[in-house]
Amino acid sequence: MKQDNSKRMTRILTTLFVTLSAFLFSQSSFSENYPYRSDYLWLTIPDHADWLYKTGEHAKTEVTLCKYGIPQNVEVSYEIGQDMLPATSKGKVMLKNGRAVIDMGTMKKPGFLDMKLKAIIDGKTYDHHVKVGFSPEQLKPYTKNPADFDAFWKTNIEKAHKEVNSEKLVMKCERVDKYSTDEVDCYLLKLHTDAGHSIYGYLTKPKANNGQQPTGKYPVVLCPPGAGIKTIKEPMRNHYYAKNGFIRLEMEIHGLHPEMTEVQFKEISNAFSGANGYLENGLDNRDNYYMRHVYVACIRALDFLCSLPEWDGKNVFVQGGSQGGALSLITAGLDPRVTGCVANHPALSDMAAYSEAGRTGGYPHLHRENQMLTSEKITTLQYYDVVNFARRIQCPVFMTWGYNDNVCPPTTSYIVWNLISAPKESLITPINEHWTSADTNYGQMLWLKKLIKE
């Protein structure tokens, strides 16, 4: 009886969580789990409450499809395969009383299985998927750790410092009245990061004497961007950092003025062979790869933050999601000044893993491009992959990721997590795709606040 009650409670909690996720989606403009204001809702409930199994165990998932909240008796087809890889089994099931249990099978090696679901109703197709993990704490990277990794980055950072000394770092710093308030001052910056590159960013500071820190000394937070060639659309979206006594720099990485028009950004994006073409630019040679100057730019942005007279001299944080999560971990691995790191579902992780049959790799999923994972490119990636920076992190880390993420898959998030030997905390949200809630984001700021050294 106790076991039945436990299962019932698990179903109730999962249903509530799904409903909450759908509500959160209605509050957001980006892609999440369920279509906004759809009549149909999928419920997928694995028989392990945490969606995790040991290798060799079978995962069984109860599937329900509701219309107006009413379970439907319809045929559902499904495909099951390893995380981000082709399906290895297929089948169909008829929902009875709106429900069916599907045996997803098992895995002999650590990893994730993904079950893709499809129902056709009145000529329309309704899709969903659910991923479950098998001993993911045992996942290890494909990417090798080069012997000269540290020397390579030391040389590049020192070179950038020689090319652009501290006096020449700031090219532009203008107060932006439309983003400044009674509590927060906002500035638009242009930083000259090395001989050939610059970046823009919005700097937010607590208004002087706003009561947060009477001494006027504050911790600093660097926020690198997600992937793409795009503007910083909402500089004040995270204004609560400044309100809570942080100086925060939200940066871009391409040297593009953040108030360019969407048309201008699109033209530049097309010149890069698409929004993420820069992630392939120069990949044949570690010295020519586009991301070399990006990683250096993150360190130079910290140089700027640590030069501010308002910095408290002790606390340096990095925080970001997706590519921004990757760049946060990379910066923490490169720079011992970093005292705390927050990373959501990091991209750029174990990117070359696809070159080995049966392995899942990370965003930007370079195997999808012809001739992309050559031996030369794989060698270059070793110097840029998050896994090799994660090994070197010494500061506390907070990471969060979801299992249903098809952008930065859970396989690679676990690989990064498993490599971090520094103090660490995680928030795992199985149902989440490539997103975090406003509550999670605010909670990460509170987590950083607890790290502040007086």
Side-chain angles (χ1 to χ4, degrees), residues 277-331:
Y278 64 93
L279 290 169
E280 303 169 8
N281 192 325
L283 193 51
D284 284 313
N285 186 304
R286 67 177 189 176
D287 296 314
N288 296 333
Y289 186 36
Y290 185 87
M291 296 302 285
R292 182 178 65 86
H293 90 81
V294 173
Y295 292 10
V296 169
C298 290
I299 304 303
R300 301 299 278 142
L302 285 190
D303 290 341
F304 165 74
L305 287 170
C306 293
S307 73
L308 294 172
E310 302 96 331
W311 176 45
D312 64 15
K314 298 178 182 178
N315 299 287
V316 179
F317 303 130
V318 286
Q319 175 264 323
S322 194
Q323 178 185 264
L327 293 174
S328 295
L329 292 164
I330 287 162
T331 305

Side-chain angles (χ1 to χ4, degrees), residues 95-227:
L95 302 187
K96 297 180 180 179
N97 297 319
R99 295 175 175 83
V101 175
I102 300 175
D103 188 338
M104 293 179 62
T106 188
M107 294 185 71
K108 295 180 180 179
K109 296 181 179 180
F112 279 80
L113 285 179
D114 187 6
M115 179 166 66
K116 299 174 182 177
L117 304 162
K118 181 171 70 174
I120 300 175
I121 304 173
D122 297 330
K124 292 185 178 181
T125 299
Y126 298 89
D127 297 304
H128 187 53
H129 77 126
V130 57
K131 296 185 189 183
V132 296
F134 295 84
S135 302
E137 73 282 356
Q138 297 177 20
L139 281 164
K140 297 180 180 179
Y142 167 86
T143 304
K144 294 180 174 60
N145 183 20
D148 62 344
F149 181 91
D150 296 304
F152 173 77
W153 284 110
K154 184 174 184 290
T155 298
N156 277 283
I157 293 168
E158 288 178 348
K159 180 182 177 184
H161 278 92
K162 290 177 181 177
E163 291 172 345
V164 181
N165 60 35
S166 298
E167 288 74 24
K168 295 181 179 179
L169 183 61
V170 180
M171 300 175 68
K172 178 180 182 180
C173 182
E174 298 177 348
R175 188 175 187 275
V176 185
D177 290 337
K178 66 180 178 179
Y179 295 138
S180 298
T181 69
D182 292 341
E183 297 179 276
V184 178
D185 284 321
C186 180
Y187 300 85
L188 176 61
L189 299 176
K190 185 178 183 181
L191 302 180
H192 189 190
T193 54
D194 63 33
H197 300 94
S198 60
I199 60 167
Y200 283 90
Y202 283 106
L203 180 74
T204 51
K205 299 180 183 180
K207 181 79 76 173
N209 301 319
N210 74 346
Q212 292 294 338
Q213 298 248 8
T215 61
K217 298 291 186 179
Y218 309 101
V220 294
V221 183
L222 176 67
C223 180

Side-chain angles (χ1 to χ4, degrees), residues 82-83 85-86 109 140-144 350-361 367 373 378:
Q82 192 173 324
D83 193 9
L85 297 178
K109 296 181 179 180
K140 297 180 180 179
Y142 167 86
T143 304
K144 294 180 174 60
D350 214 23
M351 292 177 279
Y354 286 114
S355 59
E356 182 178 300
R359 292 202 63 143
T360 299
H367 69 298
L373 287 177
I378 290 171

Side-chain angles (χ1 to χ4, degrees), residues 230-294:
K230 56 192 177 185
T231 183
I232 304 171
K233 291 184 178 180
E234 302 176 81
M236 297 307 289
R237 180 180 59 184
N238 298 295
H239 65 283
Y240 51 81
Y241 273 85
K243 288 184 177 181
N244 280 271
F246 293 90
I247 295 172
R248 189 171 194 268
L249 177 60
E250 189 161 344
M251 60 178 277
E252 59 84 48
I253 60 173
H254 303 295
L256 304 177
H257 196 292
E259 296 192 1
M260 292 171 63
T261 66
E262 290 292 337
V263 172
Q264 290 171 316
F265 272 100
K266 184 170 179 57
E267 288 175 348
I268 294 171
S269 177
N270 290 340
F272 273 97
S273 301
N276 295 327
Y278 64 93
L279 290 169
E280 303 169 8
N281 192 325
L283 193 51
D284 284 313
N285 186 304
R286 67 177 189 176
D287 296 314
N288 296 333
Y289 186 36
Y290 185 87
M291 296 302 285
R292 182 178 65 86
H293 90 81
V294 173

